[in-house]
Amino acid sequence: MTQTTIDVLKIREDFPILNREVNGKPLVYLDNAATSQTPIQVINAIVDYYSNYNANIHRGVHALSQEATDKYEAAREKIRAHYNASESKEIIFTSGTTHSINLVANGFSSLLNKGDEVLVTAMEHHSNIVPWQMLCERTGAHLKVIPMNLDGVLVMDAYHDLLSDKTKLVFCNHVSNALGTVNPIAEIIEAAHSVGAAVLVDGAQAAPHIKADFQRLDVDFYTVSAHKICGPTGVGMLYGKKEWLQKLPPYQGGGEMIAEVTFEKTTYADLPHKFEAGTPNICGGIAFGAALDYMNSIGFDNIANYEAELLTYATKQLLTIEGLKIYGIAKEKTGVISFNIEGVHPYDIGTILDKLGIAVRTGHHCAQPIMDFFKIPGTVRASFSFYNTKEEIDSLVSGVKRAAQMLL
Ligand code: 7TS
């Protein structure tokens, strides 16, 4: 049995929003997989930037520009260190996971040939399906799907069978947003490399719970959105191995990403700037660094242990409700519970929970193929963070019971 080393009541003081009421009830925020809440330390970093050193970066000799540039580059270095990338130029600031994936998918247009194969798992978010379909349309490559079983676990034998010398790319989320499954990415990466394929891991849902080590994993690309880890929206990162990023063409053209421009020919800047056209989200990048500092001050091992306790407790309590079925019962899971009550539409449960001040997500969670696999229109999804409490889970359970009584 793991011991809680988190002082959750003290942590909650860092999050002003957790004090508010919704529909006259204390907010119970259980939609953390959609976006996390923001601690005062990160809010202060944003206020500090706009109050004290707002300036464009990498271009001014003046003091403010230098200060902003230093802080932005320091954030890049923090991200590198957190994920153990070998060089900070391998960290590209983007607007988030969706942007990161599109950047890579676009770049591979010039590297794939007709008949090549790309593999995606059956449990991807739409942002890790649609860009690859578009890539396949452009190149004539084929998209193949690594299946999962009814527990919401990838069928690894089928994956190994799908791999061949035609496989050029494999895409997999580290953690499924709709099921919470933690995928065996080390095995996936090693097997893909044995046939010469590159792997992109979508880390959007893993980032709040698991500290990935890029060098140890030997992953080729990894994506993160800052808003899932207590940072602001509109900023994230793409990690790419230097060799890959050098091979990929720029995604967007403009300022910042050039070495020299004439009307005859333009040469591109070195990494990471080659992929960072235009004025970036400077404040967002700095706040992303502040968010990592905050999460590390709590500690990822402490976060994982505490969230595992919440998950076990919530699973047990929810399963006491008659007719309730949980989708995604992998042994390796983060704090996500997707469920339905037989005979009740998930949207109706979500609406009643909202009246009680409880925020959950309902619907297909941008993962329609998962819903098709389970033959359901959607689920109710409760997703936990280290600032949630067992009392909040009790509120969820009694809210779901009440909804079931009203709707059945
Ligand atoms: N990949 C996964 C696994 C995700 O969960 C999400 C967002 C994305 C990619 C896209 O991230 P973005 O920051 O670029 O939008 N997932 C969710 C969700 O589960 N509910 O709302 C957003």
Side-chain angles (χ1 to χ4, degrees), residues 194-246:
S194 73
V195 297
V199 181
L200 181 143
V201 174
D202 168 354
Q205 291 295 337
H209 317 286
I210 301 168
K211 190 169 166 170
D213 181 325
F214 295 160
Q215 290 188 80
R216 195 165 57 80
L217 285 168
D218 198 25
V219 66
D220 302 289
F221 301 99
Y222 195 99
T223 67
V224 173
S225 298
H227 70 93
K228 308 266 193 208
I229 53 161
C230 299
T233 53
V235 67
M237 71 101 186
L238 167 70
Y239 161 79
K241 273 187 192 159
K242 190 171 69 183
E243 305 78 62
W244 276 118
L245 292 177
Q246 280 166 344

Side-chain angles (χ1 to χ4, degrees), residues 1-6 208-210 298-313 333-335 385-386 390:
M1 186 74 189
T2 48
Q3 280 300 308
T4 298
T5 46
I6 275 191
H209 317 286
I210 301 168
I298 295 167
F300 275 77
D301 287 345
N302 293 334
I303 289 172
N305 287 340
Y306 180 65
E307 289 175 351
E309 275 180 38
L310 289 183
L311 176 66
T312 306
Y313 181 70
K333 249 187 100 166
T334 59
S385 179
F386 57 88
K390 287 191 177 162

Side-chain angles (χ1 to χ4, degrees), residues 8 27 33-34 45 71 108 117 126 145 152 162 200 225 229 257 265 280 294 313 315 319 341 356 388 400:
V8 67
L27 167 67
K71 291 254 174 57
F108 266 92
E117 291 180 358
H126 295 162
V145 180
L162 281 169
L200 181 143
S225 298
I229 53 161
M257 53 76 72
K265 186 171 169 55
Y294 180 77
Y313 181 70
T315 304
L319 286 174
I341 294 181
L356 301 169
N388 289 125
V400 174

Side-chain angles (χ1 to χ4, degrees), residues 11 13-16 37-47 230 294:
I11 285 171
E13 290 172 9
D14 293 335
F15 291 83
Q37 293 304 342
T38 318
I40 193 69
Q41 291 83 344
V42 174
I43 297 171
N44 285 343
I46 294 167
V47 172
C230 299
Y294 180 77

Side-chain angles (χ1 to χ4, degrees), residues 41 48 58 60 88 163 181 187 257 264 267 284 313 324 361 364 389 392 396 404:
Q41 291 83 344
D48 183 37
H58 299 138
S88 60
L163 285 171
T181 310
E187 182 183 342
M257 53 76 72
E264 286 69 43
T267 52
Y313 181 70
L324 187 142
R361 186 169 169 186
H364 55 57
T389 63
E392 289 182 308
L396 170 73

Side-chain angles (χ1 to χ4, degrees), residues 84-107:
N84 192 28
S86 61
E87 295 181 58
S88 60
K89 65 169 71 156
E90 295 178 314
I91 306 296
I92 311 295
F93 278 115
T94 63
S95 67
T97 293
T98 303
H99 176 185
S100 303
I101 293 172
N102 277 281
L103 188 161
V104 177
N106 188 72

Side-chain angles (χ1 to χ4, degrees), residues 160-173:
H160 289 285
D161 289 346
L162 281 169
L163 285 171
S164 75
D165 58 5
K166 288 192 199 150
T167 317
K168 297 292 178 267
L169 284 165
V170 177
F171 312 108
C172 177
N173 53 34

